[in-house]
Amino acid sequence: MAVYRLLRRTVLGRNGAIPAACACVVLYGRFTEAGTSTKRAVLMFFLLLLATALGRSYDSLSAMAVSAVVILCQSPGALYTASFQLSFAAAYGASVLPALLVGRKEERPQKEMALSAAGQTEGRLKRRMLSLKEKGKRTVLFGVAIQLITFPVTVVHYFEYPFYGFFLNPFIVPLMSLLLFCALFSGICGMFSVGLGYFFAGGARAILWFYKSACTLASRLPFSLLLFGKPALWQIALYFSVLAGGVFLLQKMREKGKQDKERQKRRWIFIVFIFLPMILLPVPSGAFEAAFLDMGQGDGIVLRSSGAVLTVDGGSSDVQSVGSRRLIPYLKAKGIRVIDCAIISHADNDHISGICEILAAMPPYSPYRASGAGYTGEILIKSIALPQLAKPDAAYQALVESAGEKKVEILYLSAGDCLLPGKGLSLTCLAPEERAAFSGRNASSLVLLASYGEFDLLLTGDIDAAGEEKLLARAELRERSVEVLKVAHHGSSGSSCKEFLTGLRPVCSVISCGRNNRYGHPHKEALEILSETSGKVLRTDETGCITVRVRRQGYRVYGGAKERLLCYGTLGEE
């Protein structure tokens, strides 16, 4: 636009300036690799120049619609990306909502007209003060308009929101033009004078330093980052319904005039807009939920009950950075900042790699860091539970040392111990025996029986057939059916013995394994036994994340991101 306006004043005129501006914007698109937001901006700019060339009026909504159609024809999947949704939401918020919330530029307060009757000097000063006040008000409301429309999109895709970003924008955005000017002239002048090039580069560097300092300071303030989780569809629909209703009422009030009653009503509407983001906060659930995450070739289970959050293992042998790619995104999507207890069945990499990532990234645990005010984007672990072993190996010791460095409480469990993390939920440790010696890590795995009312979930780690046979002798499992079983050792033929499964009679069995893994899990022998003894056999490599939700009436098992119902059952006499 700057090039177009500059060239239009030269001998090229309007007809010559338009092709030059088009060439510049095409180069801009090439330089920025033509992302979705860049394509939208370039297309809308082309339509603006086309309207100018034809002598027609430019309509931003029509330009946005045409740009969206062109982008989606080229790549239909772009509709579901964060870049597409944020770009068009911001463009809509910048072009439409400010006019609705702030009013049009030609609207002037009656008070400004009255000032013309005052003295020249006094009236000029008051008019300037009033003009600055109106500009400041419009700037704030302009930012509010854009934030209101883009807020749900940001939360849906990133689960978090930088609270102080809105307050930084009035300082960050105006300097962007100066930053661009300094950088551009540094490159141009540097071809002729090194000193002049350094001069403009210094200005650009100073602005970038200010940006970094301001953002660093904001990130250290309380509530700098708010974790909302991924809101449900009904929450998003309610958010935009309230927003549309408020904007509609504002328009009706503006048409009626500026009576005192109407001004009071407008204030109440803006107060509603301020608290509008609260609609997207996570909805607490008092029921018990167990999620078997798709960790590839590994285990990762998240248990939630009455606000308590526990993880059982969390690692993978074939997915790199499984913590940041699978475990942490799931926790943030559920609005979880703190893991109350990270239970480790044994220290194999496919069970601990994601937990080790969280430990490495988190600051030392403290009550402030665990609160909403101290959240800075890192998931915290409050305590870690490990099997109590007579001879811990190097991986086990390294995990203990890492937890100690981050001030994480360490719990040692053995058969007979019980955890009561949430109302109605108990986790009974069935294995290993206290300080017993084992041939390997798998044999020393923690085995937990999670009970929520009449519902039982058995978590078996990587125990072998010999360990399963010992479990049958325990009183906690004798004459007791299990609703859901986490199949031992990813469905290996060395586990899942027929006597064990026949004694448990699980209604649903879950196998956590990676697609086309090098171990061939689950093995054919194990699948055959499971098909005979278990009501339903589910696999994370086929279904994705498997979620079990328990209510008083019964339980339901869902699979995949869309949570397709896979099976259900009743509890107790019902």
Side-chain angles (χ1 to χ4, degrees), residues 4 8 14 18 46-60 62:
Y4 169 73
R8 188 174 178 178
R14 187 186 70 180
I18 289 176
F46 275 141
L47 292 171
L48 172 63
L49 294 180
L50 180 61
T52 303
L54 298 176
R56 304 288 295 273
S57 60
Y58 171 76
D59 179 65
S60 59
S62 299

Side-chain angles (χ1 to χ4, degrees), residues 36 52 168 204 290 356 383 444 464 534 549 573:
T36 301
T52 303
L168 285 176
C356 290
S383 63
S444 65
D464 53 18
S534 178
R549 292 196 180 95
E573 296 180 357

Side-chain angles (χ1 to χ4, degrees), residues 102-124:
V102 184
R104 303 194 179 279
K105 291 182 180 180
E106 58 268 17
E107 295 178 6
R108 295 296 181 188
Q110 295 181 359
K111 186 178 179 180
E112 185 177 353
M113 298 176 61
L115 288 175
S116 60
Q120 238 181 5
T121 304
E122 183 182 358
R124 189 182 300 112

Side-chain angles (χ1 to χ4, degrees), residues 236-549:
I236 300 171
L238 179 60
Y239 178 96
F240 282 114
S241 297
V242 174
L243 178 60
V247 171
F248 175 77
L249 291 175
L250 284 175
Q251 283 296 95
K252 289 296 182 182
M253 292 175 188
R254 183 171 285 113
E255 292 172 2
K256 290 182 180 179
K258 295 189 176 181
Q259 295 88 353
D260 291 338
K261 289 184 178 180
E262 301 301 326
R263 288 180 178 176
Q264 189 67 25
K265 290 179 180 178
R266 282 200 293 271
R267 290 193 187 100
W268 280 109
I269 292 175
F270 279 110
I271 291 174
V272 171
F273 284 165
I274 291 173
F275 291 98
L276 195 57
M278 296 182 69
I279 293 176
L280 303 184
L281 287 171
V283 179
S285 174
F288 172 66
E289 179 178 295
F292 301 83
L293 306 187
D294 179 12
M295 306 288 282
Q297 185 60 19
D299 268 1
I301 305 164
V302 180
L303 308 178
R304 295 195 294 162
S305 177
S306 303
V309 178
L310 298 91
T311 60
V312 182
D313 294 330
S316 178
S317 61
D318 63 348
V319 178
Q320 298 296 321
S321 304
V322 70
S324 58
R325 293 184 179 182
R326 303 285 175 91
L327 183 56
I328 294 174
Y330 177 85
L331 295 172
K332 289 187 176 182
K334 296 298 181 181
I336 297 170
R337 297 190 308 271
V338 180
I339 300 172
D340 294 295
C341 185
I343 302 171
I344 305 298
S345 65
H346 60 293
D348 275 351
N349 194 57
D350 61 335
H351 289 253
I352 66 170
S353 60
I355 297 297
C356 290
E357 283 185 53
I358 295 177
L359 281 173
M362 66 176 272
Y365 180 85
S366 68
Y368 173 74
R369 287 294 182 188
S371 66
Y375 177 72
T376 56
E378 292 84 14
I379 302 294
L380 297 183
I381 298 175
K382 185 177 182 180
S383 63
I384 281 185
L386 295 164
Q388 192 169 28
L389 304 178
K391 294 181 179 180
D393 58 17
Y396 184 104
Q397 293 284 18
L399 187 60
V400 170
E401 291 175 6
S402 179
E405 290 173 0
K406 296 304 174 75
K407 299 181 180 179
V408 175
E409 182 183 3
I410 302 173
L411 308 174
Y412 297 97
L413 301 180
S414 58
D417 292 336
C418 186
L419 296 176
L420 302 173
K423 184 179 180 181
L425 175 64
S426 65
L427 278 82
T428 304
C429 181
L430 306 181
E433 296 293 334
E434 185 176 356
R435 298 191 179 280
F438 298 93
S439 58
R441 292 176 184 168
N442 291 346
S444 65
S445 291
L446 273 176
V447 178
L448 299 171
L449 178 64
S451 300
Y452 185 82
E454 298 293 327
F455 176 84
D456 292 317
L457 165 65
L458 185 61
L459 306 171
T460 55
D462 278 358
I463 60 169
D464 53 18
E468 291 176 338
E469 292 176 0
K470 290 181 181 178
L471 288 178
L472 286 175
R474 294 200 62 88
E476 293 89 346
L477 291 181
R478 196 177 302 136
E479 300 298 327
R480 186 171 193 164
S481 62
V482 173
E483 278 72 26
V484 178
L485 166 70
K486 201 288 292 186
V487 177
H489 203 183
H490 319 289
S492 168
S493 58
S495 304
S496 302
C497 67
K498 191 170 184 178
E499 293 79 8
F500 175 69
L501 295 173
T502 303
L504 289 180
R505 302 186 303 279
V507 179
C508 177
S509 298
V510 178
I511 303 175
S512 180
C513 59
R515 184 174 299 179
N516 300 323
N517 62 84
R518 59 180 176 173
Y519 306 100
H521 294 156
H523 292 154
K524 182 180 178 181
E525 299 87 343
L527 289 175
E528 289 176 351
I529 297 173
L530 285 167
S531 64
E532 296 175 7
T533 57
S534 178
K536 188 83 172 180
V537 180
L538 303 175
R539 299 164 49 175
T540 58
D541 62 330
E542 295 179 343
T543 308
C545 178
I546 298 170
T547 305
V548 182
R549 292 196 180 95

Side-chain angles (χ1 to χ4, degrees), residues 10-25:
T10 65
V11 293
L12 294 177
R14 187 186 70 180
N15 294 334
I18 289 176
C22 288
C24 286
V25 82

